[in-house]
C-alpha cells in the first residue's frame, strides 16, 4: 500500500480526451518527464493507486495528454477525472534541488533558534510571491533569500525568518 508521505502531488486529471482512454493532466511539476518513471500515483476515492503510463504528450507547458495502461475507453478515462496525481518521492532525483511542489509535507525550522515552526500543508502560488501554507494556516514567504537549506532526507527546510513575521501571522 502506498502511503501519503511516499509521494507528492504534481497535478490533477482533467477531462477525458478522445475515445481511446487519454486524459488531460494539469501539472505544476513536470518531473514525470525529467525522471525515468513508468507510473504515476492517482488518488482514487482516497486510496493511492499506481497507474502505469503507456504514453503521453504535452499540449502546453502545464497540460499533458496521458494514456494509462488498461484505460482504453473514454468512459474509463472519464472515471479518473478530478483525481489528484502524485509522483513517488523515492524516484525524484535528490541531486537536483527539490521542486516546489515536492516540499509539501516538509517541516519548516527557524534557523536562529532551531525551533519547529510547522509542517507545510500546501504551496500558495496565487500571488506574485510564493508562500508556504502551514498546517495551522500560517503563511510564510518561500523566498530563496530566507531559505538556508533544504534537507530532502530529513524532510526539513531551515529558514531565517524576519523578526516579527510569526507575530504577524498570529495576529491575522
Amino acid at each position: 500500500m502506498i502511503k501519503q508521505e511516499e509521494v507528492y502531488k504534481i497535478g490533477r486529471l482533467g477531462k477525458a480526451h478522445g475515445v481511446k482512454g487519454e486524459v488531460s493532466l494539469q501539472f505544476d511539476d513536470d518531473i514525470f518527464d525529467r525522471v525515468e518513471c513508468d507510473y504515476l500515483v492517482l488518488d482514487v476515492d482516497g486510496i493511492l493507486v499506481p497507474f502505469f503510463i503507456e504514453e503521453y504528450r504535452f499540449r502546453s507547458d502545464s497540460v499533458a495528454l496521458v494514456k494509462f495502461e488498461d484505460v482504453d475507453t473514454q468512459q474509463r478515462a472519464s472515471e479518473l477525472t478530478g483525481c489528484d496525481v502524485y509522483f513517488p518521492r523515492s524516484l525524484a532525483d535528490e541531486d537536483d534541488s527539490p521542486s516546489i511542489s515536492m516540499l509539501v509535507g516538509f517541516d519548516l525550522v527557524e534557523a536562529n533558534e532551531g525551533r519547529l515552526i510547522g509542517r507545510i500543508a500546501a504551496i500558495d502560488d496565487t500571488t506574485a510571491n510564493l508562500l508556504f501554507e502551514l498546517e495551522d494556516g500560517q503563511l510564510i514567504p518561500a523566498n530563496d533569500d530566507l531559505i538556508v537549506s533544504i534537507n530532502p532526507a530529513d524532510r526539513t527546510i531551515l529558514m531565517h525568518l524576519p523578526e516579527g513575521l510569526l507575530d504577524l501571522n498570529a495576529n491575522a
Side-chain angles (χ1 to χ4, degrees), residues 3-155:
K3 297 178 183 163
Q4 189 70 41
E5 55 272 2
E6 296 173 339
V7 296
Y8 69 97
K9 186 176 174 184
I10 62 167
R12 179 177 217 121
L13 293 182
K15 296 190 286 185
H17 181 81
V19 295
K20 295 185 180 180
E22 281 186 316
V23 65
S24 65
L25 165 59
Q26 295 145 352
F27 59 89
D28 39 17
D29 187 332
D30 67 350
I31 192 160
F32 63 94
D33 188 50
R34 294 181 282 121
V35 174
E36 191 67 35
C37 184
D38 297 332
Y39 67 96
L40 295 174
V41 178
L42 305 184
D43 183 337
V44 181
D45 298 326
I47 299 170
L48 297 175
V49 181
F51 278 76
F52 288 86
I53 301 168
E54 195 171 293
E55 62 184 7
Y56 66 91
R57 65 185 190 275
F58 289 99
R59 282 193 90 179
S60 70
D61 60 351
S62 62
V63 176
L65 296 177
V66 180
K67 170 71 175 75
F68 292 110
E69 289 181 7
D70 300 323
V71 178
D72 297 321
T73 65
Q74 182 179 15
Q75 180 180 346
R76 179 67 180 114
S78 294
E79 293 170 2
L80 300 176
T81 297
C83 287
D84 287 333
V85 180
Y86 296 85
F87 192 82
R89 289 183 187 274
S90 62
L91 298 178
D93 189 358
E94 291 187 21
D95 293 337
D96 290 337
S97 296
S99 67
I100 197 71
S101 56
M102 189 176 179
L103 299 178
V104 172
F106 276 47
D107 288 331
L108 194 62
V109 177
E110 207 291 315
N112 292 331
E113 302 172 15
R115 177 170 62 105
L116 176 65
I117 303 304
R119 179 163 287 151
I120 299 172
I123 306 296
D124 183 346
D125 61 357
T126 59
T127 64
N129 298 313
L130 203 60
L131 300 168
F132 292 134
E133 183 178 334
L134 303 185
E135 289 177 342
D136 65 2
Q138 290 186 83
L139 296 173
I140 305 294
N143 186 301
D144 287 341
D145 295 336
L146 301 177
I147 297 173
V148 176
S149 66
I150 298 173
N151 187 331
D154 292 338
R155 298 187 59 182

